[in-house]
Amino acid sequence: MGWPLAVSAGLMDKSPRALFRALWALSAGHLLATLLVLLPFAFLLVLAEWQRAIQISASLLVIGFGVYRLIVRRHPRALARIPPTQLAVWSFAVAIAHGAALMLVPIYLGLCQAFDLDAGHEAAGALMKASLAMAVLVSLVHVAAMIGAGGSLAWLVYRYLGLRFVARSWFNLDAIWAASLVLVGAVALGFNLASWR
């Protein structure tokens, strides 16, 4: 019902151009609102329709990246020192990239069948569906637990072990991570190909 605002804009500026500019702005806002509501559901339909192809492609991508990291052992220098001002952006990007938030979407939307869920997933689903406040609280508790565990480990290594110990005795976490990517990708690919028959 924005047409009265367009009329008002035209009358106040005494110009039909102002009316059409207002109509353009109204239509852009309306289109954005409808897309904001419809696109996530359309995206879920596409995901469901192309699920097998997406899973096989993702498995091959993970295997390929793992093999690449096993071959190219050099750690990216850009990741050696991330300024504190950019850590929030880095944390957000990495959490999105490895699916920290996306893994909760099927549970939240009720896409998992009840008999497929263990007690932990059932509890998470019930908590998240309780209310928006409870979903935010679950997210806050998750972040607090992650920062508490990781922060404690970081403090202990920083305070008591130091860089010399880490440089001499630390196992190659990059190689273990790359090997785990290859393993997980191969297992996922195997399951997808086995269920395809």
Side-chain angles (χ1 to χ4, degrees):
M1 299 302 296
W3 67 267
L5 297 173
V7 172
S8 174
L11 290 174
M12 290 182 79
D13 283 1
K14 297 180 183 170
S15 165
R17 289 177 126 175
L19 179 131
F20 289 115
R21 274 197 308 268
L23 287 174
W24 174 252
L26 289 167
S27 61
H30 192 80
L31 177 64
L32 185 61
T34 56
L35 289 177
L36 186 66
V37 171
L38 294 178
L39 283 181
F41 295 104
F43 184 64
L44 286 175
L45 289 174
V46 169
L47 282 178
E49 185 177 328
W50 290 90
Q51 180 179 4
R52 180 158 326 273
I54 291 170
Q55 288 174 337
I56 290 172
S57 299
S59 298
L60 293 172
L61 184 66
V62 168
I63 292 169
F65 185 69
V67 169
Y68 170 78
R69 291 303 304 150
L70 284 172
I71 293 170
V72 179
R73 296 288 181 114
R74 190 180 68 232
H75 193 73
R77 287 185 174 240
L79 297 178
R81 173 78 169 108
I82 299 171
T85 56
Q86 297 174 4
L87 281 177
V89 173
W90 177 88
S91 177
F92 173 79
V94 170
I96 290 294
H98 78 66
L102 291 177
M103 67 184 174
L104 298 175
V105 171
I107 298 170
Y108 183 71
L109 294 177
L111 299 176
C112 299
Q113 305 243 350
F115 56 83
D116 289 337
L117 297 178
D118 59 23
H121 284 94
E122 285 179 9
L127 281 174
M128 288 189 300
K129 289 179 182 176
S131 69
L132 178 61
M134 185 57 74
V136 171
L137 182 62
V138 167
S139 296
L140 290 172
V141 168
H142 167 76
V143 169
M146 182 208 53
I147 290 298
S152 297
L153 183 61
W155 172 252
L156 290 173
V157 169
Y158 171 81
R159 180 74 174 104
Y160 297 107
L161 300 178
L163 182 60
R164 185 170 290 150
F165 174 81
V166 172
R168 282 191 201 156
S169 62
W170 204 258
F171 55 90
N172 190 342
L173 193 57
D174 282 343
I176 292 171
W177 178 60
S180 72
L181 288 175
V182 173
L183 178 65
V184 167
V187 168
L189 182 62
F191 280 135
N192 277 301
L193 294 176
S195 68
W196 198 353
R197 296 177 195 165

